[in-house]
Amino acid sequence: MQSHGLLLPLRSPWSSPIPLPLRHRTSFPTKPLCLAASSSFTVSDGELESRGFRVRRSPGGLDVAALNEVFARVGFPRRDPERLRRALGHAGEAVVWIEELGGGKPVAFARATGDGVFNAVVWDVVVDPSLQGTGLGKAVMERLVADLRATGVSNIALYAEPRVVGFYRLLGFAADPDGVRGMVLSRKNFQKQRKTR
């Protein structure tokens, strides 16, 4: 499951005064932020554990090399490990991943960045191809969105490839809600713009 192409959530009245920490980190916390009640999820943490998986809600303990392997298996480019650690640090506690019990390797992952008050953008939603279609993508997304909502963030955007737009629509995301269009200044567009000057 890859995230490319902008989708925005439908409007929602959820809010809470709990701020999302967005400071730069050089080390990750070991205790996960768990704001959302597990009863609101399609698949509970207990059911995931009975299937051999554990939900993690912070980048603490995440094997960056193993995550890079999952990225490569879904077609994402491999990331420089140090830059990936920095990116995870910027996500603060807005990280949800699922590991295999016993192995500790990530098999599903999602993170978000934002201002911690109004807006967030979801990044890097991946599920190991051998486990796609088993509900792990939905599990990480439900928990990430619930945790963001619990901190008061009400505007959550993401990018999605056309083949996975339906997946995100089932989670309440909509393309161009109320006529709002997402725009991106990508490296490719920036280079094209420089050539035309």
Side-chain angles (χ1 to χ4, degrees):
M1 180 163 320
Q2 299 180 16
S3 298
H4 300 288
L6 186 65
L7 290 176
L8 299 171
L10 300 173
R11 292 185 183 181
S12 172
W14 298 50
S15 68
S16 169
I18 304 169
L20 179 67
L22 288 177
R23 62 184 182 272
H24 300 291
R25 293 178 187 254
T26 54
S27 63
F28 300 129
T30 55
K31 185 172 182 179
L33 175 68
C34 185
L35 298 172
S38 63
S39 63
S40 63
F41 304 133
T42 305
V43 179
S44 71
D45 289 5
E47 184 178 337
L48 286 168
E49 287 207 24
S50 73
R51 291 170 46 194
F53 303 107
R54 178 180 300 123
V55 176
R56 304 285 299 269
R57 284 179 132 124
S58 86
L62 179 59
D63 181 338
V64 171
L67 179 60
N68 241 337
E69 290 299 320
V70 177
F71 284 165
R73 284 194 292 276
V74 300
F76 281 12
R78 288 185 188 274
R79 313 263 175 84
D80 173 82
E82 184 51 40
R83 293 186 76 200
L84 183 52
R85 281 186 198 88
R86 283 189 6 232
L88 291 169
H90 289 290
E93 301 294 328
V95 172
V96 177
W97 57 288
I98 296 176
E99 67 180 339
E100 288 182 309
L101 291 174
K105 302 287 187 193
V107 294
F109 175 87
R111 70 181 176 99
T113 57
D115 60 23
V117 180
F118 305 108
N119 304 295
V121 179
V122 175
W123 303 101
D124 300 330
V125 180
V126 293
V127 175
D128 189 283
S130 68
L131 294 166
Q132 289 179 2
T134 63
L136 298 182
K138 188 173 189 178
V140 293
M141 283 299 297
E142 284 178 338
R143 286 157 177 79
L144 184 61
V145 168
D147 287 352
L148 291 168
R149 296 269 193 218
T151 65
V153 172
S154 60
N155 185 38
I156 304 168
L158 59 81
Y159 295 90
E161 290 182 351
R163 66 184 179 85
V164 295
V165 166
F167 167 77
Y168 292 110
R169 285 184 198 264
L170 291 173
L171 295 171
F173 287 83
D176 304 326
D178 302 323
V180 174
R181 300 265 177 179
M183 300 180 75
V184 176
L185 180 59
S186 68
R187 179 175 34 208
K188 180 180 175 182
N189 291 342
F190 185 68
Q191 289 171 345
K192 186 187 293 186
Q193 183 183 29
R194 286 183 30 197
K195 288 180 183 179
T196 61
R197 286 186 185 173

